[in-house]
Amino acid sequence: MNVVRVSTRPTYRSSGMGLHPFKITESMSDVNTIYVYPKNESDNIEFNNNDNVKEVEVPFHLEKRDPKVGFIGKLSFTARRVFNVLKFNLSVINRLKKEKVDIVHIHSPMYFVIAFYYWLRGSRCYITYHGSDLNAVQNSRVYKVLSKIFSGAFSISPNMVERLQKFHKAPNLYVTNNAIDVNSYSIDNALPRQKILLAVGSLKVEKGFNMLIDAFSNAKKDNLLSGYKLHIAGEGPLHSELSRKIVNLGLEDDVFLLGHLDKEGLLEAYNRSEVFVLSSISEGFPKVLLEAMVCNLKILATDVGAVRTTLPGYKYIVSPNEESLRKGLIDIVSDAVDYNFDTVISQYSDWSKVSEKYKEIYFNDNAK
């Protein structure tokens, strides 16, 4: 079986980017995979002794949208984006035209043209939705019609299933998980825990960092988080806006934007912090949640994506609004948090189990 998988690719600078498709590909040692991805600016993380993977790197200029531009600017940005996405899709098709392809599996609707081309040629096509990628197409009538080309669709969060049913119906809609390499994240007892509330993620609207800073600020005003600092690790388009907010609220000594942290720096941040905060207003399956659990932080998370199904019965899952976050921050710092994270981690510590589900679908569909 020859599979073409189209996705982003994890790098040493952004190790979480495209990690899910990368890991399931790495685990499929008995499947021949052509792994296609946009060209990265930093060094790629290498596959672990997988001789069945052929890598195809294709240039892809995908600029970030400036949230402050007006209508004309947004229109111009959209036109450039559509052009660049189409250019990438056609470049991939051209690069692979001599390859024998049984299955095309894309990990974003952005790569739809590639899937459509191979569907016309008789290949089976699949798609995995990871979170915000669904937001871009969920109200598109055109996409609703065209999505019929997919033999199956995967979601990494059960909370996305209801929305996905607009396009994909049972029994061809599947839920799969993220996983974590437990050995890559560990507790460092040599680093003393400090009064740090840690958040990790791209500085974009979906991560709710504006809301988190407001919640932290209001709790500090009431003198209910004495001595605590808020650290936010990540980079993104809202950096300037968040920086201004920190200054305007007089929080320069209490809230710190750490920027991008490499794997070593992030691990140190996890081990120095007391509480991990997921403040997202939209998520799929946040892998940072698993990382924080492995590093034994207290966890406060908004009720988005797969959070509640990942942490059943956990009391510090709150509504994604400022007041709920404020109250959650105040309560969790004085609570020892008696919850067995080890039980949860054991369920998400094996990428091969995730890839087996994909392979099961591939081979079962092939037998039909």
Side-chain angles (χ1 to χ4, degrees), residues 68 94 151 300 333:
K68 298 177 184 177
N94 184 58
S151 298
L300 172 67
V333 296

Side-chain angles (χ1 to χ4, degrees), residues 105-253:
H105 196 133
I106 62 174
H107 286 259
S108 169
M110 185 165 55
Y111 310 126
F112 178 84
V113 172
I114 299 168
F116 187 72
Y117 170 80
Y118 279 100
W119 175 76
L120 291 174
R121 292 186 57 179
S123 301
R124 283 180 288 129
C125 300
Y126 298 86
I127 184 170
T128 296
Y129 298 89
H130 295 263
S132 59
D133 49 0
L134 176 58
N135 298 338
V137 296
Q138 64 179 353
N139 296 318
S140 171
R141 294 181 180 179
V142 174
Y143 184 74
K144 182 177 181 180
V145 174
L146 294 177
S147 63
K148 306 301 181 186
I149 73 167
F150 295 109
S151 298
F154 297 81
S155 165
I156 64 169
S157 168
N159 296 63
M160 296 168 62
V161 169
E162 184 176 351
R163 288 189 293 159
L164 282 172
Q165 286 175 340
K166 294 180 181 179
F167 317 121
H168 307 286
K169 304 297 183 183
N172 299 320
L173 178 57
Y174 313 98
V175 177
T176 187
N177 295 319
N178 267 334
I180 184 171
D181 294 319
V182 175
N183 293 333
S184 297
Y185 295 88
S186 58
I187 301 170
D188 187 348
N189 293 318
L191 293 176
R193 296 286 179 181
Q194 300 175 16
K195 287 187 172 183
I196 295 175
L197 311 171
L198 176 67
V200 178
S202 299
L203 306 186
K204 55 185 181 180
V205 173
E206 292 87 348
K207 299 303 181 182
F209 292 141
N210 264 304
M211 180 174 64
L212 174 59
I213 293 172
D214 284 334
F216 177 80
S217 175
N218 288 328
K220 292 287 281 189
K221 286 178 183 176
D222 296 334
N223 200 32
L224 296 172
L225 289 177
S226 179
Y228 279 89
K229 310 294 183 183
L230 173 60
H231 290 186
I232 301 175
E235 55 189 6
L238 294 186
H239 184 276
S240 296
E241 179 180 325
L242 295 176
S243 296
R244 286 194 298 272
K245 176 184 279 287
I246 291 168
V247 172
N248 291 339
L249 292 174
L251 295 172
E252 300 98 315
D253 296 328

Side-chain angles (χ1 to χ4, degrees), residues 226-280:
S226 179
Y228 279 89
K229 310 294 183 183
L230 173 60
H231 290 186
I232 301 175
E235 55 189 6
L238 294 186
H239 184 276
S240 296
E241 179 180 325
L242 295 176
S243 296
R244 286 194 298 272
K245 176 184 279 287
I246 291 168
V247 172
N248 291 339
L249 292 174
L251 295 172
E252 300 98 315
D253 296 328
D254 296 299
V255 181
F256 301 90
L257 301 180
L258 307 181
H260 168 77
L261 296 180
D262 60 18
K263 186 70 171 290
E264 184 178 333
L266 184 57
L267 186 58
E268 181 178 342
Y270 280 135
N271 276 285
R272 287 194 182 279
S273 303
E274 178 184 329
V275 180
F276 175 78
V277 185
L278 182 84
S279 57
S280 299

Side-chain angles (χ1 to χ4, degrees), residues 313-327:
Y314 186 61
K315 65 180 178 179
Y316 287 112
I317 300 175
V318 301
S319 298
N321 60 63
E322 184 270 325
E323 176 55 26
S324 295
L325 270 175
R326 185 191 73 86
K327 187 175 186 305

